[in-house]
Amino acid sequence: MNGLAGEVGGLVYSVGAGPRERQTIIDLPALDVKPGELTVLSGPSGSGKSTLLYLLAGLLVPDRGRIAWGGEALTGMGEARRDRWRRENAGFIFQNFHLIEELSPLDNVLMTGWFGGFSTRGLRSRAAALLERFGVPIERRRTSLLSRGEQQRVAIARALLFDPSLVFADEPTASLDGAAGGLVTRTLREIADEGRTVVAASHDPALLSIADRTVRLDHGRLVPATQAEAA
Amino acid sequence: MNPFPLVLATLRRNRFTAILFVTVIALAVALGIAISAQERALRLGSARAADRFDLIVAAPGSQNDVLFSVVYLDPTAVELLSPEMTAAVLNGGRADFAAPIGFGDNFNGDPVVGTSAEFVDHLSRGLAEGRLFTRLDEAVVGALSPNRVGDRLAIRHGHADGLSGNDADAAADAHEAGEDHVEAEEEPGHSHVDVAVVGRMKPTGTPWDRAVVVPVEYNWFAHGMGTGHLPGETRIGAPYEAAPGVPAIVIKPENLAAAYGLRNRYRTTESTAFFPAEVLVEIYAVMGNVARIMSGLTLAAQVLVVAAILAGILALLDLQRQRFAVLRALGAPGSFVFAVVWLYVGTLIAGGALIGLPLGWGVAAIVSRLVARETGVAMTAQIGIAELALVGALLCVGFLLALVPALLTYRKPVVEALR
């Protein structure tokens, strides 16, 4: 597996209606994400780490600046192309898992295969293998009966169905207790070790401790490494 | 792209609301279907009922009243043709037969109609049981009459009560003996004669199916107007040498030219003549206008129901905005989210419409049965092009309106919904 390298330059993202009311949320002169690394965006609440993650995933469009993955500029793409890029290159893990309770765990993993644009051959066995790998019994019919840790592992399996080179995770352990969080942390480390680029927004010390790189943010700006270490 | 598992999941998520929405749409559709199917059943049933009444001649006045009295045996008071005009029409020629129709009596609530054996045979297309009447004191009953062949019925003028039979028997004997008039004890001016049921008609799909049909001579005799024949004459049927006035005469013209010729001939100052179809066409025109207005109103009501439900669905989908945002974040194209929502809303509308169609038909069938029981006019509610068009129109409008929540959900900012 070859993870994608990320390049960010001159990134500015602001919100608000008029020029006077606009508030800059992200102001990032440069950031490189190395392929196959687990990079954690950290910082206190409101620091902009989740917003940066959404920008990196192409879910938000910056006011200006450039984001590129594997040399392909995300910022030049229209919405439909960004959807397609995400579908083909990235997996996404959420804090609250966002599984569809009315579907079985297996169908939750298979769901991204229903979006179209992929060959669905062998997907069912791959989905079953992923669930098995992450210790979720595939015979379970009701997602709502899974523990929170199991639900997050189903979400990770869903993110990996098409073997993406890039995985985004938004506060993946924030809704889990210590043991379940630890298991998810180790899983993220594992999938990075397989060569994928993993970018997570988190302030979980356990995840920070196993990250290849930590990017600290404060009010949408990078905190220099020396300050970050002091903090 | 396969949005169906997620459509089903979305339906399951709010299954009770979905059932409620489908039920409301189904009821709205059923109402429209029932009105439309019932109106057509009424039209077809009434047209079929009038089919064997080729040409009707009556005293000048409302043709509608005559039609309803003669064909549907509606107890409306109609003027009598004068004896001269009656004789002229009955003996006018150019017809297979001219049958006088007399009514006004009933037996146990069912109408007693006087006419000729020829007309009974024509109306019933042969009998189901027994034979036609050949005597003044014989009767044929309709297919749905509770009376049986062999029963003796004591008919009284305007009443349904039974009669001991002694006076009636005496009257019949008197008629056999050539006496024209027998006074009754209870109602001066009216004679009572027991009649024997000798035959049963085949179903005609008209109120005549419940009638007791007697020779018209019985009506005249019972009302103290002689027998329509010369004194001493005991036979029944044409020619009627001394016919008193009658409410109507049904003519079976010998051919089409004769039909129009007779109709023109009897449109005089003393009589009117008409084909039932021409009166029904006018009635149907009014009914059709009303039906069209009602259908339009029903469709409008259905569209309003769908619009109201769409407003509910919008609120429901807003609660699920995070689910759709997640799909987008996972790489689902906008068209996929659009398809899920559109099919979800479409399924509710289509489900309601498809359940409403047989439900409406069922309601119309029940109403038809009740109306048939009430009027005697056989009618069958059927789903036709009009009802299918109504459902089709609702489906088209519904699927078109379903684009609104689909577009709104598809356009929702992803990150805003994710947070």
Side-chain angles (χ1 to χ4, degrees):
Chain A
M1 169 59 61
N2 293 317
L4 292 177
E7 302 161 49
V8 175
L11 192 69
V12 175
Y13 177 74
S14 57
V15 294
R20 286 183 184 175
E21 289 159 15
R22 284 198 83 78
Q23 188 187 349
T24 300
I25 305 295
I26 296 290
D27 186 353
L28 204 64
L31 175 69
D32 288 335
V33 179
K34 290 186 179 155
E37 276 194 359
L38 169 57
T39 302
V40 178
L41 311 175
S42 77
S45 291
S47 59
K49 56 186 184 296
S50 288
T51 302
L52 179 57
L53 189 79
Y54 293 142
L55 283 163
L56 294 175
L59 289 168
L60 287 174
V61 179
D63 299 346
R64 57 179 185 272
R66 181 173 186 272
I67 300 169
W69 288 102
E72 196 176 3
L74 205 57
T75 35
M77 295 179 188
E79 191 180 9
R81 268 194 71 196
R82 288 201 310 276
D83 287 343
R84 186 173 178 79
W85 174 85
R86 215 164 33 250
R87 197 157 68 241
E88 290 173 352
N89 297 285
F92 215 110
I93 300 162
F94 304 93
Q95 177 180 343
N96 290 318
F97 335 129
H98 292 315
L99 300 176
I100 309 280
E101 286 185 9
E102 297 77 28
L103 298 176
S104 68
L106 187 65
D107 279 343
N108 265 288
V109 178
L110 280 169
M111 189 172 68
T112 50
W114 300 332
F115 297 163
F118 291 107
S119 163
T120 53
R121 260 183 82 182
L123 271 191
R124 183 164 281 274
S125 56
R126 177 165 169 72
L130 282 166
L131 285 177
E132 200 174 340
R133 173 184 169 186
F134 296 127
V136 180
I138 58 165
E139 65 277 7
R140 292 282 187 87
R141 306 303 305 164
R142 293 183 61 181
T143 300
S144 57
L145 296 181
L146 298 179
S147 70
R148 294 181 70 77
E150 284 175 323
Q151 288 191 36
Q152 189 60 303
R153 279 178 275 145
V154 172
I156 294 171
R158 178 178 66 188
L160 298 182
L161 182 69
F162 287 104
D163 209 8
S165 337
L166 183 57
V167 173
F168 296 104
D170 186 15
E171 303 280 8
T173 57
S175 297
L176 304 173
D177 61 25
L183 191 57
V184 168
T185 300
R186 283 196 296 281
T187 305
L188 289 175
R189 179 69 261 172
E190 266 176 46
I191 60 178
D193 290 343
E194 287 166 1
R196 291 183 186 84
T197 305
V198 179
V199 182
S202 176
H203 52 244
D204 179 2
L207 190 56
L208 288 167
S209 68
I210 58 154
D212 295 308
R213 185 180 176 204
T214 301
V215 176
R216 283 193 68 84
L217 293 169
D218 191 18
H219 291 99
R221 287 174 171 78
L222 277 177
V223 177
T226 48
Q227 287 179 31
E229 280 161 18
Chain B
M1 188 188 290
N2 177 19
F4 294 102
L6 280 167
V7 173
L8 287 175
T10 310
L11 285 168
R12 281 213 301 271
R13 185 178 184 85
N14 304 101
R15 60 180 74 89
F16 295 113
T17 315
I19 290 169
L20 183 71
F21 284 166
V22 167
T23 306
V24 171
I25 294 171
L27 290 175
V29 170
L31 189 67
I33 297 295
I35 289 172
S36 171
Q38 187 53 46
E39 184 267 335
R40 199 175 57 255
L42 198 63
R43 207 154 21 91
L44 291 175
S46 57
R48 260 196 305 267
D51 195 37
R52 306 295 284 175
F53 297 78
D54 300 69
L55 175 65
I56 298 174
V57 182
S62 165
Q63 293 180 345
N64 288 358
D65 285 353
V66 174
L67 180 78
F68 278 91
S69 294
V70 174
V71 178
Y72 309 113
L73 300 180
D74 185 51
T76 312
V78 292
E79 293 292 320
L80 299 181
L81 280 165
S82 67
E84 296 75 24
M85 197 65 210
T86 300
V89 176
L90 288 175
N91 304 309
R94 301 192 68 189
D96 291 347
F97 64 77
I101 307 286
F103 31 70
D105 295 342
N106 66 67
F107 180 76
N108 287 343
D110 291 332
V112 174
V113 191
T115 186
S116 69
E118 282 168 306
F119 180 65
V120 173
D121 193 44
H122 172 69
L123 181 63
S124 169
R125 295 177 168 90
L127 294 183
E129 185 186 356
R131 60 173 174 79
L132 293 167
F133 44 71
T134 55
R135 286 163 47 102
L136 181 142
D137 61 346
E138 290 179 344
V140 168
V141 292
L144 302 177
S145 171
N147 304 301
R148 288 175 298 191
V149 173
D151 284 356
R152 285 192 72 77
L153 314 177
I155 298 163
R156 298 181 71 179
H157 176 67
H159 293 278
D161 307 330
L163 190 69
S164 66
N166 295 338
D167 294 337
D169 290 344
D173 293 342
H175 176 247
E176 280 295 293
E179 295 171 25
D180 281 352
H181 195 85
V182 176
E183 290 293 338
E185 283 175 14
E186 296 92 339
E187 296 176 56
H190 295 92
S191 305
H192 304 294
V193 182
D194 268 10
V195 294
V197 178
V198 296
R200 179 181 293 278
M201 293 163 69
K202 289 179 183 169
T204 64
T206 72
W208 287 64
D209 285 344
R210 285 208 214 100
V212 174
V213 187
V214 294
V216 70
E217 288 88 345
Y218 173 89
N219 282 76
W220 291 331
F221 182 77
H223 291 84
M225 294 187 287
T227 63
H229 298 289
L230 296 173
E233 183 69 73
T234 58
R235 67 175 180 83
I236 60 168
Y240 306 94
E241 304 86 356
V246 287
I249 297 169
V250 177
I251 298 176
K252 177 161 175 45
E254 59 191 13
N255 54 40
L256 192 64
Y260 281 92
L262 291 171
R263 187 185 67 156
N264 292 343
R265 186 199 291 174
Y266 298 131
R267 282 189 169 175
T268 67
T269 52
E270 288 183 65
S271 63
T272 184
F274 60 92
F275 303 123
E278 60 187 319
V279 176
L280 286 174
V281 162
E282 286 174 25
I283 294 171
Y284 295 159
V286 176
M287 265 172 73
N289 289 340
V290 173
R292 266 192 295 281
I293 291 167
M294 287 187 77
S295 289
L297 288 174
T298 309
L299 185 62
Q302 287 167 2
V303 170
L304 284 176
V305 165
V306 169
I309 280 173
L310 282 177
I313 287 171
L314 278 176
L316 206 64
L317 289 173
D318 197 48
L319 295 173
Q320 297 185 50
R321 63 186 182 279
Q322 199 171 51
R323 167 178 290 204
F324 297 112
V326 166
L327 296 179
R328 297 296 306 279
L330 293 174
S335 57
F336 181 84
V337 172
F338 180 90
V340 169
V341 176
W342 189 64
L343 287 170
Y344 164 68
V345 180
T347 303
L348 294 177
I349 295 169
L354 295 178
I355 292 170
L357 187 66
L359 189 66
W361 173 79
V363 170
I366 292 168
V367 172
S368 285
R369 199 167 292 180
L370 292 176
V371 172
R373 191 179 298 169
E374 192 65 29
T375 63
V377 177
M379 55 186 73
T380 312
Q382 285 174 328
I383 299 296
I385 298 290
E387 290 72 36
L388 294 176
L390 193 72
V391 172
L394 180 72
L395 285 177
C396 288
V397 173
F399 275 99
L400 210 61
L401 286 175
L403 293 173
V404 176
L407 280 169
L408 289 176
T409 309
Y410 155 70
R411 299 300 311 165
K412 267 202 166 54
V414 175
V415 171
E416 207 174 281
L418 274 177
R419 282 175 166 154

